Amino acid sequence: MTNSTEHSSLRPDGKPLLGVFVAGSGTDVGKTVCTGALLRELRQAGFAVQAVKPVQTGVLAAEIASSPLSDARVYGKALEGVESLVGLPAAAVLHCFGLPASPHLAAAKEGKRLDCQNLRKDILAHWNVVSAKAFLLEGAGGLHVPLNEDEDMLDLMSMLGLPVFLVGGNYLGGLNHILLSVEAILHRGLSLAGIALVPASDPAMGCPGVDVAGLLTDNAHILQKKLERLGCAIPLVEISRVEKLDQAGWEKLACQLRPAAKRIASNWPTAGQESSEQLSEEESLVQRDRSSVWHPYASATNFPPLNAVKRTFSNRIVLADGKELVDGMSSWWAAIHGYNHPRLLDALHAQAGRMPHVMFGGLTHEPAVALAEKLLDIVPEGLERVFFADSGSVAVEVALKMALQYQQSRGETQRTRFLTPRRGYHGDTIGAMSVCDPVTGMHSLFSAMLPEQLFMERPSCRFDQPFDPACLNDARQILAMHGKEIAAVILEPIVQGAGGMWFYHPEYLRGLAQLCREADTLLIFDEIATGFGRTGKMFAAEWADVRPDILCCGKALTGGMLTLSATICSGHVASGICQDGGVFMHGPTFMANALACAVARASLDVLASGDWQQQVNSLESALREGLAPCQNLPGVADVRVLGAIGVVEMLEPVNTHSLQKFFVKQGVWLRPFNRLIYLMPPYVTPKEDMLRLCTAIEGALRQGAHLS
């Protein structure tokens, strides 16, 4: 089995990564000196901390201990006169490059490339082998100093999730840089541990006549007021200039930073409580949850197992106790780009500053129009109108109402029913439930209140087998008998999702589309689970080159960040509904929410600018290879893979609670249901994590975790 602590923020002894990230509002503002002074103060207070420099530039590796440009050398001098700790050096440097430049350029000069994932792994690997209670991690330059073409220091800070101690230059114009840095840190969901204001050697910045004393005092006053407005009750320390950094100078700085050091250390558990406090935080949240919250498909009295989540990044979910889980579910198939994608976050923040929401009745806005245009560019040709809704279920409701109103508008008032395959799933609202499988679905309790629809055999022709035209016989027969009653046929193209993760042949869709044309009924594709690349095509309809009359999409539309869906119809359907002055009778309060539309547009831009097809192809290969060993295990009925979907179907229903606990112990997040253990990972999932997910499933089946 894969080691569940690999690349985790938990050490083998169960201690999560603790510490603070020391960042600067710019270059040469005093980060290294403040890090050294904090190190001295914390060591003198009895904390076994170590200063760690993830990337040092301008110094050769062989000169780390001697070069005057080496930050590690400064950390060592900061501890002069302080009792040393056996086995714990003052500092560690993880990467060293000779060129005095940004980490990106310095690494490139030596033919290397830095990235946040690997830097984070190096930090955690170091955490696993030292006896430090906490780290003082010092960045390089300001927050947005590049690590590579796509990532910067703030991205690394976000992945680590540690509190940030900000060092800002106190000089003419320095307040602007500090406040921009504070805003960027808070927008990433990071907490501030404190701020140090360090005066420059020339606070007037060469401008004669500046009242330097007044400037420094006013900067501190304004910054304090700004922090109060933001609700940041943190230490703001004004550092004085020290003429000589000898033992006395370091002690003076350490005393000045004492309030910040106390604040930083207050979040670290005391001896003997290293694991219990984090655990109690999780237990407290779960207890509060169970007294007030009701979870999906769960009892409100016989509580399901819960894991409290603290944060996310990339393809990882970080629990309250520090344990990391490789996400194999994309948050119910939606987070295709992984979590906290910077372009999506930037779109969210930018739109929030302009206009979070405005009613869509009688008004419009750029995010909605731009998103609609983008959607029409990528959906099957012939779809012309976009109607925005709140969720996938509501998108299906809208599609059903569109079909009914279309038929009413052309005088086909008897067409009030829908035809759909068995084993389908379309959502949890009334109309959507009515077209879900009435027997094997989740909604049999509500059958008395649901409209009675028509059900045909599910497509029996496997995606990976030759097509058998006989699989359309039932659809043909029902349409022949009841065609005049049917407003539309609705189904999930190629993949039946929650109804069984069944992959069927594209030729079935072509044949069904022809039958719908002959019966003069509409065809609705529910692409909520399959849209935006999940099957290896942008939309699953492309496998059959079939254009529906109405298409529903959702889930991955916003990259899993906000709830939004869309129902997209042909011009023929739209004009049919609106003839003779008709209007479509639907209008959600939060229709076309500006925040969601802006994020969705950014998500589609990420798809357009990236190589999602190669990502999905790689995931498909990894799934085929990784799940193949499950094929011959006892109790396995089938193993199938399509695009970024992998399924292990069992002969009998699995014990979901037992499996969930097993998977969490293995450091992965999977949520099986009924007889299915399946994977729908984010497209950004690396190969080693795919192996870890597949290995966890194989291990669960071999150990019988699905039975207990």
Side-chain angles (χ1 to χ4, degrees):
M1 295 298 297
T2 305
N3 184 355
S4 63
T5 62
E6 183 183 3
H7 309 322
S8 172
S9 56
L10 284 178
R11 279 203 295 224
D13 60 8
K15 297 178 182 178
L17 177 64
L18 293 175
V20 67
F21 202 108
V22 182
S25 62
T27 303
D28 293 330
V29 294
K31 291 191 310 300
T32 303
V33 170
C34 284
T35 302
L38 283 172
L39 178 66
R40 180 182 184 89
E41 177 61 26
L42 289 166
R43 283 278 186 108
Q44 289 184 135
F47 292 97
V49 296
Q50 184 181 62
V52 177
K53 187 79 174 178
V55 184
Q56 169 80 70
T57 63
V59 179
L60 297 174
E63 300 174 353
I64 283 293
S66 58
S67 172
L69 297 178
S70 169
D71 290 348
R73 184 171 179 268
V74 176
Y75 304 148
K77 286 188 171 294
L79 291 184
E80 288 182 355
V82 178
E83 184 178 353
S84 61
L85 296 176
V86 177
L88 185 62
V93 177
L94 305 184
H95 292 272
C96 193
F97 302 103
L99 183 70
S102 73
H104 165 51
L105 290 176
K109 180 72 173 178
E110 298 182 21
K112 297 179 180 179
R113 184 181 187 275
L114 298 169
D115 67 83
C116 290
Q117 285 277 22
N118 283 312
L119 281 173
R120 178 179 169 280
K121 289 178 183 178
D122 294 339
I123 292 167
L124 295 177
H126 183 63
W127 174 250
N128 284 338
V129 297
V130 298
S131 59
K133 178 187 181 68
F135 284 166
L136 299 179
L137 287 159
E138 186 194 341
L143 303 182
H144 289 298
V145 167
L147 294 171
N148 56 54
E149 299 89 341
D150 302 312
E151 298 176 310
D152 57 29
M153 195 60 65
L154 185 56
D155 292 318
L156 176 61
M157 294 159 62
S158 297
M159 280 193 179
L160 291 168
L162 294 174
V164 179
F165 183 78
L166 180 65
V167 180
N170 198 1
Y171 51 81
L172 185 65
L175 182 62
N176 178 63
H177 300 301
I178 296 171
L179 289 173
L180 288 174
S181 298
V182 167
E183 183 179 82
I185 290 166
L186 296 180
H187 275 181
R188 287 298 182 95
L190 298 168
S191 62
L192 278 167
I195 297 179
L197 277 173
V198 181
S201 57
D202 177 19
M205 302 303 286
C207 297
V210 173
D211 177 5
V212 172
L215 165 71
L216 298 182
T217 300
D218 190 59
N219 277 352
H221 173 72
I222 294 296
L223 181 56
Q224 186 67 60
K225 290 297 183 183
K226 291 283 188 180
L227 291 172
E228 289 173 4
R229 282 186 59 192
L230 292 170
C232 293
I234 57 172
L236 174 60
V237 181
E238 294 182 70
I239 303 297
S240 58
R241 292 196 64 82
V242 176
E243 294 302 322
K244 187 177 181 181
L245 274 178
D246 53 11
Q247 185 172 326
W250 280 114
E251 187 60 28
K252 180 179 180 180
L253 292 174
C255 288
Q256 290 178 349
L257 284 169
R258 186 166 296 158
K262 286 183 177 179
R263 171 62 179 263
I264 290 168
S266 68
N267 293 316
W268 300 340
T270 56
Q273 296 179 327
E274 286 84 352
S275 61
S276 62
E277 288 205 3
Q278 289 292 331
L279 186 61
S280 65
E281 175 188 344
E282 180 176 27
E283 288 178 337
S284 173
L285 183 59
V286 170
Q287 185 176 8
R288 288 165 54 203
D289 177 287
R290 287 177 171 170
S291 67
S292 57
V293 179
W294 201 336
H295 284 262
Y297 310 114
S299 170
T301 55
N302 184 18
F303 302 115
L306 288 176
N307 296 278
V309 178
K310 190 171 186 177
R311 61 189 180 89
T312 57
F313 68 91
S314 187
N315 68 320
R316 300 297 177 98
I317 297 170
V318 184
L319 302 182
D321 66 357
K323 187 177 184 64
E324 288 179 22
L325 307 179
V326 175
D327 180 24
M329 302 298 296
S330 299
S331 273
W332 266 338
W333 327 341
I336 55 176
H337 310 300
Y339 298 101
N340 306 40
H341 193 287
R343 287 186 65 175
L344 273 60
L345 288 173
D346 289 344
L348 178 68
H349 295 148
Q351 187 58 45
R354 286 191 294 269
M355 178 185 69
H357 178 68
V358 66
M359 65 182 291
F360 210 54
L363 299 171
T364 190
H365 48 74
E366 173 64 22
V369 175
L371 176 58
E373 291 171 338
K374 185 69 174 178
L375 282 170
L376 293 179
D377 284 342
I378 62 175
V379 295
E381 188 177 355
L383 297 174
E384 299 180 10
R385 289 287 174 178
V386 180
F387 191 95
F388 292 112
D390 307 73
S391 66
S393 294
V394 178
V396 171
E397 297 285 341
V398 169
L400 300 180
K401 289 176 69 173
M402 277 185 179
L404 284 171
Q405 197 168 338
Y406 168 79
Q407 299 293 2
Q408 292 284 325
S409 68
R410 69 188 192 116
E412 295 283 337
T413 57
Q414 78 285 357
R415 291 182 181 265
T416 59
R417 304 178 74 184
F418 293 89
L419 173 62
T420 187
R422 294 191 180 276
R423 303 290 182 90
Y425 176 80
H426 300 282
D428 295 343
T429 50
I430 296 295
M433 285 196 295
S434 77
V435 289
C436 295
D437 191 293
V439 178
T440 63
M442 296 178 281
H443 308 309
S444 58
L445 283 172
F446 310 103
S447 57
M449 65 183 293
L450 299 179
E452 186 178 343
Q453 311 296 6
L454 295 166
F455 293 87
M456 56 190 173
E457 292 179 0
R458 81 166 183 176
S460 57
C461 41
R462 288 180 65 110
F463 184 92
D464 54 359
Q465 297 293 326
F467 179 67
D468 180 4
C471 69
L472 282 162
N473 286 348
D474 195 44
R476 183 178 293 107
Q477 182 178 353
I478 293 175
L479 282 166
M481 293 176 60
H482 300 281
K484 295 298 183 180
E485 307 168 43
I486 297 173
V489 174
I490 180 170
L491 77 165
E492 303 154 280
I494 303 300
V495 177
Q496 287 189 309
M501 294 295 172
W502 174 249
F503 313 149
Y504 62 89
H505 202 285
E507 195 63 43
Y508 179 91
L509 288 181
R510 298 190 191 102
L512 183 63
Q514 179 60 37
L515 292 175
C516 288
R517 286 190 290 271
E518 293 171 358
D520 198 20
T521 188
L522 297 180
L523 179 61
I524 303 172
F525 281 175
D526 177 351
E527 293 250 20
I528 292 161
T530 54
F532 309 109
R534 179 60 66 177
T535 68
K537 302 287 187 181
M538 180 61 77
F539 290 93
E542 295 173 27
W543 284 104
D545 193 23
V546 170
R547 188 212 78 187
D549 299 289
I550 304 174
L551 181 146
C552 304
C553 61
K555 286 194 181 292
L557 177 57
T558 66
M561 186 170 287
L562 291 169
T563 181
L564 182 71
S565 64
T567 304
I568 310 171
C569 70
S570 67
H572 180 65
V573 170
S575 61
I577 291 173
C578 299
Q579 64 183 353
D580 302 324
V583 298
F584 181 51
M585 298 303 294
H586 197 88
T589 300
F590 286 92
M591 181 177 179
N593 173 258
L595 288 177
C597 288
V599 172
R601 175 59 193 269
S603 178
L604 296 185
D605 286 343
V606 171
L607 280 176
S609 62
D611 193 5
W612 67 267
Q613 288 176 307
Q614 180 56 45
Q615 288 178 321
V616 172
N617 289 341
S618 297
L619 292 180
E620 183 175 54
S621 297
L623 285 165
R624 291 191 187 281
E625 180 182 351
L627 294 180
C630 298
Q631 182 70 67
N632 298 318
L633 293 179
V636 174
D638 190 24
V639 174
R640 47 187 180 268
V641 173
L642 177 64
I645 311 171
V647 183
V648 177
E649 182 176 354
M650 307 302 293
L651 293 170
E652 300 291 338
V654 300
N655 186 322
T656 300
H657 291 177
S658 174
L659 272 176
Q660 185 174 311
K661 291 179 180 179
F662 178 88
F663 288 140
V664 168
K665 286 182 179 179
Q666 301 305 310
V668 302
W669 178 249
L670 296 170
R671 188 170 171 81
F673 69 93
N674 202 347
R675 296 187 296 118
L676 302 175
I677 307 172
Y678 72 97
L679 289 161
M680 277 198 183
Y683 299 167
V684 297
T685 305
K687 186 174 182 179
E688 60 266 27
D689 283 347
M690 290 303 300
L691 175 62
R692 189 170 175 181
L693 288 163
C694 294
T695 301
I697 293 176
E698 181 187 356
L701 298 182
R702 291 190 183 279
Q703 296 182 36
H706 60 300
L707 302 173
S708 57

